[in-house]
Amino acid sequence: MLNWISRQIVAILCIVAFLSPLIAMSLIEFYYYSTLIGWIVGFICIVIAYIIVHIRPDEEELAS
């Protein structure tokens, strides 16, 4: 399970990043700033996914 998550972490982070503002907008009745927090969480997830993709070595470079 951990191996699958480590291979799919970028896709999971992108899905969480795009869903977090939508989920936060539905929670605005409970907390006024939930939308802002949702956008911040989404941005952080996108930045982490970008860092992972940027740091991860390409599979083509490893094959040659």
Side-chain angles (χ1 to χ4, degrees):
M1 180 74 177
L2 189 60
N3 191 20
W4 180 82
I5 290 175
S6 67
R7 285 186 283 131
Q8 301 295 329
I9 191 69
V10 174
I12 293 170
L13 282 172
C14 289
I15 290 170
V16 168
F18 291 119
L19 288 180
S20 64
L22 300 175
I23 293 170
M25 283 184 220
S26 66
L27 296 174
I28 199 153
E29 296 174 2
F30 297 111
Y31 186 63
Y32 184 72
Y33 294 108
S34 65
T35 305
L36 181 63
I37 293 170
W39 283 103
I40 291 170
V41 168
F43 178 75
I44 290 171
C45 288
I46 290 291
V47 168
I48 292 171
Y50 176 75
I51 290 170
I52 290 172
V53 168
H54 191 67
I55 291 175
R56 183 181 293 172
D58 292 334
E59 293 177 6
E60 297 171 358
E61 291 178 6
L62 294 176
S64 50

Coordinates of all heavy atoms in Angstrom, one line a residue:
M1 N 0.8 -1.2 0.0 CA 0.0 0.0 0.0 C 0.9 1.3 0.0 O 0.6 2.2 -0.7 CB -0.9 0.0 1.2 CG -1.8 1.1 1.3 SD -3.1 1.0 0.1 CE -4.1 2.4 0.5
L2 N 1.9 1.2 0.8 CA 2.8 2.4 0.9 C 3.5 2.6 -0.4 O 3.8 3.8 -0.9 CB 3.8 2.2 2.0 CG 4.7 3.5 2.4 CD1 3.8 4.6 2.8 CD2 5.6 3.1 3.5
N3 N 3.9 1.5 -1.1 CA 4.6 1.6 -2.4 C 3.6 2.3 -3.4 O 4.0 3.1 -4.3 CB 5.0 0.2 -2.9 CG 5.9 0.3 -4.1 OD1 6.5 1.4 -4.3 ND2 6.1 -0.8 -4.8
W4 N 2.3 1.9 -3.4 CA 1.4 2.5 -4.3 C 1.2 4.0 -4.1 O 1.1 4.8 -5.0 CB 0.0 1.8 -4.2 CG -1.0 2.3 -5.1 CD1 -1.1 2.0 -6.5 CD2 -2.0 3.3 -4.9 NE1 -2.2 2.7 -7.0 CE2 -2.7 3.5 -6.0 CE3 -2.3 4.0 -3.7 CZ2 -3.8 4.4 -6.1 CZ3 -3.4 4.9 -3.8 CH2 -4.1 5.1 -5.0
I5 N 1.1 4.3 -2.8 CA 1.0 5.7 -2.5 C 2.2 6.5 -2.9 O 2.1 7.7 -3.4 CB 0.7 5.9 -1.0 CG1 -0.7 5.4 -0.6 CG2 0.8 7.4 -0.5 CD1 -1.0 5.4 0.9
S6 N 3.4 6.0 -2.7 CA 4.6 6.7 -3.1 C 4.7 6.9 -4.6 O 5.2 7.9 -5.1 CB 5.8 6.0 -2.6 OG 6.0 4.8 -3.3
R7 N 4.1 6.0 -5.4 CA 4.1 6.2 -6.8 C 3.0 7.1 -7.3 O 3.1 7.8 -8.3 CB 3.9 4.8 -7.5 CG 5.1 3.9 -7.5 CD 4.9 2.7 -8.3 NE 4.1 1.7 -7.5 CZ 3.0 1.1 -8.0 NH1 2.7 1.3 -9.2 NH2 2.3 0.3 -7.2
Q8 N 1.9 7.2 -6.6 CA 0.8 8.0 -7.0 C 0.6 9.3 -6.2 O -0.4 10.0 -6.3 CB -0.5 7.2 -6.8 CG -0.5 5.9 -7.6 CD -0.5 6.2 -9.1 OE1 -1.0 7.2 -9.6 NE2 0.1 5.3 -9.9
I9 N 1.6 9.7 -5.4 CA 1.5 10.8 -4.5 C 1.2 12.2 -5.3 O 0.5 13.0 -4.8 CB 2.7 11.0 -3.6 CG1 2.5 12.0 -2.5 CG2 4.0 11.3 -4.4 CD1 1.5 11.5 -1.5
V10 N 1.8 12.3 -6.4 CA 1.6 13.6 -7.2 C 0.1 13.7 -7.6 O -0.5 14.7 -7.5 CB 2.6 13.7 -8.4 CG1 2.2 14.9 -9.2 CG2 4.0 13.8 -7.9
A11 N -0.4 12.6 -8.1 CA -1.8 12.6 -8.6 C -2.8 12.8 -7.4 O -3.7 13.6 -7.5 CB -2.2 11.3 -9.2
I12 N -2.5 12.2 -6.2 CA -3.3 12.4 -5.0 C -3.2 13.8 -4.6 O -4.2 14.4 -4.2 CB -2.8 11.4 -3.9 CG1 -3.1 10.0 -4.3 CG2 -3.5 11.7 -2.6 CD1 -2.5 8.9 -3.4
L13 N -2.0 14.4 -4.6 CA -1.9 15.8 -4.2 C -2.6 16.8 -5.1 O -3.3 17.7 -4.6 CB -0.4 16.2 -4.1 CG 0.3 15.7 -2.9 CD1 1.8 16.0 -3.1 CD2 -0.2 16.4 -1.6
C14 N -2.6 16.5 -6.4 CA -3.3 17.3 -7.3 C -4.9 17.2 -7.1 O -5.6 18.2 -7.2 CB -3.0 17.0 -8.8 SG -1.3 17.5 -9.2
I15 N -5.3 16.0 -6.9 CA -6.8 15.9 -6.7 C -7.2 16.6 -5.4 O -8.2 17.3 -5.3 CB -7.1 14.4 -6.6 CG1 -7.0 13.8 -8.0 CG2 -8.5 14.1 -6.1 CD1 -7.1 12.3 -8.0
V16 N -6.4 16.4 -4.3 CA -6.7 17.1 -3.1 C -6.6 18.6 -3.3 O -7.5 19.4 -2.7 CB -5.7 16.7 -2.0 CG1 -5.8 17.6 -0.7 CG2 -6.0 15.2 -1.6
A17 N -5.7 19.1 -4.1 CA -5.5 20.5 -4.3 C -6.7 21.1 -5.0 O -7.2 22.2 -4.7 CB -4.3 20.8 -5.1
F18 N -7.3 20.4 -6.0 CA -8.4 20.9 -6.7 C -9.8 20.7 -6.0 O -10.7 21.5 -6.2 CB -8.5 20.3 -8.1 CG -7.4 20.8 -9.0 CD1 -6.5 19.9 -9.5 CD2 -7.2 22.1 -9.3 CE1 -5.4 20.3 -10.3 CE2 -6.2 22.6 -10.1 CZ -5.3 21.7 -10.6
L19 N -9.8 19.8 -5.0 CA -11.0 19.6 -4.3 C -11.1 20.4 -3.0 O -12.2 20.6 -2.5 CB -11.2 18.1 -4.0 CG -11.5 17.2 -5.1 CD1 -11.7 15.7 -4.6 CD2 -12.8 17.6 -5.8
S20 N -10.0 20.8 -2.5 CA -10.0 21.5 -1.2 C -10.8 22.8 -1.2 O -11.5 23.1 -0.3 CB -8.6 21.6 -0.6 OG -7.8 22.5 -1.5
P21 N -10.6 23.6 -2.2 CA -11.5 24.9 -2.2 C -13.0 24.6 -2.3 O -13.8 25.3 -1.7 CB -11.0 25.6 -3.5 CG -9.6 25.1 -3.7 CD -9.7 23.7 -3.3
L22 N -13.3 23.5 -3.1 CA -14.7 23.2 -3.2 C -15.3 22.7 -1.9 O -16.4 23.0 -1.5 CB -14.9 22.1 -4.3 CG -14.5 22.5 -5.7 CD1 -14.6 21.4 -6.6 CD2 -15.3 23.7 -6.2
I23 N -14.5 21.9 -1.2 CA -15.0 21.4 0.1 C -15.0 22.5 1.1 O -16.0 22.6 1.9 CB -14.0 20.2 0.6 CG1 -14.2 19.0 -0.3 CG2 -14.3 19.9 2.0 CD1 -13.2 17.9 -0.1
A24 N -14.1 23.4 1.1 CA -14.0 24.5 2.0 C -15.2 25.5 1.8 O -15.7 26.0 2.7 CB -12.7 25.2 1.9
M25 N -15.6 25.6 0.5 CA -16.8 26.5 0.2 C -18.0 25.9 0.8 O -18.9 26.7 1.2 CB -16.9 26.7 -1.3 CG -15.9 27.7 -1.8 SD -16.2 28.0 -3.6 CE -14.6 28.0 -4.2
S26 N -18.1 24.6 0.8 CA -19.3 24.0 1.4 C -19.3 24.1 3.0 O -20.4 24.0 3.6 CB -19.5 22.6 1.0 OG -18.4 21.8 1.5
L27 N -18.2 24.4 3.6 CA -18.1 24.5 5.0 C -18.1 25.9 5.5 O -17.9 26.2 6.7 CB -16.8 23.9 5.5 CG -16.7 22.4 5.3 CD1 -15.3 21.9 5.7 CD2 -17.7 21.6 6.1
I28 N -18.5 26.9 4.6 CA -18.5 28.3 5.0 C -19.5 28.6 6.1 O -19.3 29.6 6.8 CB -18.6 29.2 3.8 CG1 -18.1 30.6 4.1 CG2 -20.0 29.2 3.3 CD1 -17.6 31.4 3.0
E29 N -20.5 27.8 6.2 CA -21.5 28.0 7.3 C -20.9 27.8 8.7 O -21.4 28.4 9.6 CB -22.7 27.1 7.0 CG -23.5 27.4 5.8 CD -24.6 26.4 5.5 OE1 -24.8 25.5 6.3 OE2 -25.2 26.5 4.5
F30 N -19.9 26.9 8.7 CA -19.3 26.6 10.0 C -18.2 27.5 10.4 O -18.0 27.9 11.6 CB -18.8 25.1 10.0 CG -19.9 24.1 9.8 CD1 -20.0 23.4 8.6 CD2 -20.9 23.9 10.8 CE1 -21.0 22.5 8.4 CE2 -21.9 23.0 10.6 CZ -21.9 22.3 9.4
Y31 N -17.4 28.0 9.4 CA -16.3 28.8 9.7 C -16.2 29.8 8.6 O -16.1 29.4 7.4 CB -15.0 28.0 9.9 CG -13.8 28.8 10.3 CD1 -13.8 29.5 11.5 CD2 -12.7 28.9 9.5 CE1 -12.7 30.2 11.9 CE2 -11.6 29.7 9.9 CZ -11.6 30.3 11.1 OH -10.6 31.1 11.5
Y32 N -16.2 31.1 8.9 CA -16.2 32.1 7.9 C -15.0 32.1 6.9 O -15.2 32.4 5.7 CB -16.3 33.5 8.5 CG -16.5 34.7 7.6 CD1 -17.7 34.8 6.9 CD2 -15.5 35.5 7.3 CE1 -17.9 35.9 6.0 CE2 -15.6 36.6 6.5 CZ -16.8 36.8 5.8 OH -17.0 37.8 4.9
Y33 N -13.9 31.8 7.4 CA -12.6 31.9 6.6 C -12.3 30.5 6.0 O -11.2 30.3 5.6 CB -11.5 32.4 7.4 CG -11.7 33.8 7.8 CD1 -11.9 34.2 9.1 CD2 -11.6 34.8 6.9 CE1 -12.1 35.5 9.5 CE2 -11.7 36.2 7.2 CZ -12.0 36.5 8.5 OH -12.2 37.8 8.8
S34 N -13.2 29.6 6.0 CA -12.9 28.2 5.5 C -12.5 28.2 4.0 O -11.7 27.4 3.6 CB -14.1 27.3 5.7 OG -15.2 27.7 5.0
T35 N -13.1 29.1 3.2 CA -12.8 29.2 1.8 C -11.3 29.6 1.6 O -10.6 29.0 0.8 CB -13.7 30.2 1.1 OG1 -15.0 29.8 1.3 CG2 -13.4 30.2 -0.4
L36 N -10.9 30.6 2.4 CA -9.5 31.0 2.3 C -8.5 29.9 2.7 O -7.5 29.7 2.1 CB -9.3 32.3 3.2 CG -7.9 32.9 3.3 CD1 -7.5 33.4 1.9 CD2 -7.8 33.9 4.3
I37 N -8.9 29.2 3.8 CA -8.1 28.1 4.2 C -8.1 27.0 3.1 O -7.0 26.4 2.9 CB -8.6 27.5 5.6 CG1 -8.4 28.6 6.7 CG2 -7.9 26.2 5.9 CD1 -9.1 28.3 8.0
G38 N -9.2 26.7 2.5 CA -9.2 25.8 1.4 C -8.3 26.1 0.2 O -7.6 25.3 -0.3
W39 N -8.3 27.4 -0.1 CA -7.4 27.9 -1.2 C -6.0 27.7 -0.8 O -5.1 27.4 -1.6 CB -7.7 29.3 -1.6 CG -9.0 29.4 -2.5 CD1 -10.2 29.8 -2.1 CD2 -9.1 29.1 -3.9 NE1 -11.1 29.7 -3.1 CE2 -10.4 29.3 -4.2 CE3 -8.2 28.6 -4.8 CZ2 -10.8 29.1 -5.5 CZ3 -8.6 28.4 -6.1 CH2 -9.9 28.6 -6.4
I40 N -5.7 28.0 0.4 CA -4.3 27.9 0.9 C -3.8 26.5 0.9 O -2.7 26.2 0.5 CB -4.1 28.6 2.3 CG1 -4.3 30.1 2.2 CG2 -2.8 28.2 3.0 CD1 -4.5 30.8 3.6
V41 N -4.7 25.6 1.4 CA -4.3 24.2 1.4 C -4.1 23.7 0.0 O -3.2 22.9 -0.3 CB -5.4 23.3 2.1 CG1 -5.3 21.8 1.9 CG2 -5.4 23.6 3.6
G42 N -5.0 24.1 -1.0 CA -4.8 23.7 -2.4 C -3.5 24.2 -3.0 O -2.9 23.5 -3.7
F43 N -3.2 25.4 -2.7 CA -1.9 26.0 -3.2 C -0.7 25.2 -2.6 O 0.2 24.9 -3.4 CB -1.8 27.5 -2.8 CG -0.6 28.1 -3.3 CD1 -0.4 28.4 -4.6 CD2 0.4 28.4 -2.4 CE1 0.8 29.0 -5.0 CE2 1.6 29.0 -2.8 CZ 1.8 29.3 -4.1
I44 N -0.8 24.9 -1.3 CA 0.3 24.2 -0.7 C 0.5 22.8 -1.3 O 1.6 22.3 -1.6 CB 0.1 24.1 0.8 CG1 0.3 25.5 1.4 CG2 1.1 23.1 1.4 CD1 0.0 25.6 2.9
C45 N -0.7 22.1 -1.6 CA -0.6 20.8 -2.3 C 0.0 20.9 -3.7 O 0.8 20.0 -4.0 CB -2.0 20.2 -2.3 SG -2.6 19.6 -0.7
I46 N -0.4 21.9 -4.4 CA 0.2 22.1 -5.8 C 1.7 22.3 -5.7 O 2.5 21.8 -6.5 CB -0.5 23.2 -6.5 CG1 -2.0 22.8 -6.9 CG2 0.2 23.6 -7.8 CD1 -2.1 21.7 -7.9
V47 N 2.1 23.1 -4.7 CA 3.5 23.4 -4.6 C 4.3 22.2 -4.2 O 5.4 21.9 -4.7 CB 3.8 24.6 -3.6 CG1 5.2 24.7 -3.2 CG2 3.2 25.9 -4.1
I48 N 3.8 21.4 -3.3 CA 4.4 20.2 -2.9 C 4.5 19.2 -4.0 O 5.5 18.5 -4.3 CB 3.7 19.5 -1.7 CG1 3.9 20.4 -0.4 CG2 4.2 18.1 -1.4 CD1 3.1 20.0 0.8
A49 N 3.4 19.1 -4.8 CA 3.5 18.2 -6.0 C 4.5 18.7 -7.0 O 5.2 17.8 -7.6 CB 2.1 18.1 -6.6
Y50 N 4.6 20.0 -7.2 CA 5.6 20.5 -8.1 C 7.0 20.2 -7.6 O 7.9 19.8 -8.4 CB 5.4 22.0 -8.3 CG 6.5 22.6 -9.2 CD1 6.4 22.4 -10.6 CD2 7.5 23.3 -8.6 CE1 7.4 23.0 -11.4 CE2 8.5 23.9 -9.4 CZ 8.5 23.7 -10.8 OH 9.4 24.2 -11.6
I51 N 7.2 20.3 -6.4 CA 8.6 20.0 -5.8 C 8.9 18.6 -6.0 O 10.0 18.2 -6.3 CB 8.6 20.5 -4.3 CG1 8.6 22.0 -4.2 CG2 9.9 19.9 -3.6 CD1 8.4 22.5 -2.8
I52 N 8.0 17.7 -5.7 CA 8.2 16.3 -5.9 C 8.5 15.9 -7.3 O 9.4 15.2 -7.6 CB 7.0 15.5 -5.4 CG1 6.9 15.6 -3.9 CG2 7.1 14.0 -5.8 CD1 5.6 15.0 -3.3
V53 N 7.8 16.5 -8.3 CA 8.0 16.2 -9.7 C 9.4 16.8 -10.1 O 10.1 16.2 -10.9 CB 6.9 16.8 -10.6 CG1 7.3 16.8 -12.0 CG2 5.6 16.0 -10.3
H54 N 9.7 17.9 -9.6 CA 11.0 18.6 -10.0 C 12.2 17.8 -9.4 O 13.2 17.7 -10.1 CB 11.0 20.0 -9.5 CG 12.1 20.8 -10.0 ND1 12.2 21.2 -11.4 CD2 13.1 21.4 -9.4 CE1 13.2 21.9 -11.5 NE2 13.9 22.0 -10.4
I55 N 12.1 17.3 -8.2 CA 13.2 16.6 -7.5 C 13.3 15.2 -8.0 O 14.4 14.6 -8.2 CB 13.0 16.6 -6.0 CG1 13.2 18.1 -5.5 CG2 14.0 15.7 -5.3 CD1 13.0 18.3 -4.1
R56 N 12.2 14.5 -8.3 CA 12.2 13.1 -8.7 C 13.0 12.9 -10.0 O 12.7 13.6 -11.0 CB 10.7 12.6 -8.9 CG 10.7 11.1 -9.2 CD 9.2 10.7 -9.4 NE 8.5 10.8 -8.1 CZ 7.2 10.6 -8.0 NH1 6.5 10.4 -9.1 NH2 6.6 10.7 -6.9
P57 N 13.9 12.0 -10.0 CA 14.7 11.7 -11.2 C 13.8 11.1 -12.3 O 12.9 10.3 -12.0 CB 15.8 10.8 -10.8 CG 15.2 10.1 -9.6 CD 14.3 11.1 -8.9
D58 N 14.1 11.5 -13.5 CA 13.3 10.9 -14.6 C 13.6 9.5 -14.8 O 14.7 9.0 -14.7 CB 13.6 11.7 -15.9 CG 13.1 13.1 -15.9 OD1 12.1 13.4 -15.2 OD2 13.7 14.0 -16.6
E59 N 12.6 8.7 -15.2 CA 12.8 7.3 -15.4 C 13.7 7.0 -16.7 O 14.4 6.1 -16.7 CB 11.5 6.6 -15.6 CG 10.7 6.6 -14.3 CD 9.3 5.9 -14.5 OE1 9.1 5.4 -15.6 OE2 8.5 6.0 -13.6
E60 N 13.7 8.0 -17.6 CA 14.5 7.8 -18.8 C 16.0 8.0 -18.5 O 16.8 7.3 -19.0 CB 14.1 8.9 -19.8 CG 12.7 8.7 -20.4 CD 12.2 9.9 -21.2 OE1 13.0 10.8 -21.4 OE2 11.1 9.9 -21.7
E61 N 16.3 8.9 -17.6 CA 17.7 9.1 -17.1 C 18.2 7.9 -16.4 O 19.4 7.5 -16.5 CB 17.8 10.3 -16.3 CG 17.6 11.6 -17.0 CD 17.7 12.8 -16.1 OE1 18.0 12.6 -14.9 OE2 17.4 13.9 -16.6
L62 N 17.3 7.2 -15.6 CA 17.8 6.0 -14.9 C 18.0 4.8 -15.8 O 18.8 4.0 -15.5 CB 16.7 5.7 -13.8 CG 16.5 6.7 -12.7 CD1 15.4 6.2 -11.8 CD2 17.8 6.8 -11.9
A63 N 17.3 4.8 -16.9 CA 17.4 3.6 -17.9 C 18.7 3.7 -18.7 O 19.2 2.7 -19.0 CB 16.2 3.6 -18.8
S64 N 19.2 4.9 -18.9 CA 20.4 5.0 -19.8 C 21.7 5.0 -19.0 O 21.9 4.6 -18.0 CB 20.3 6.2 -20.6 OG 20.0 7.4 -19.9

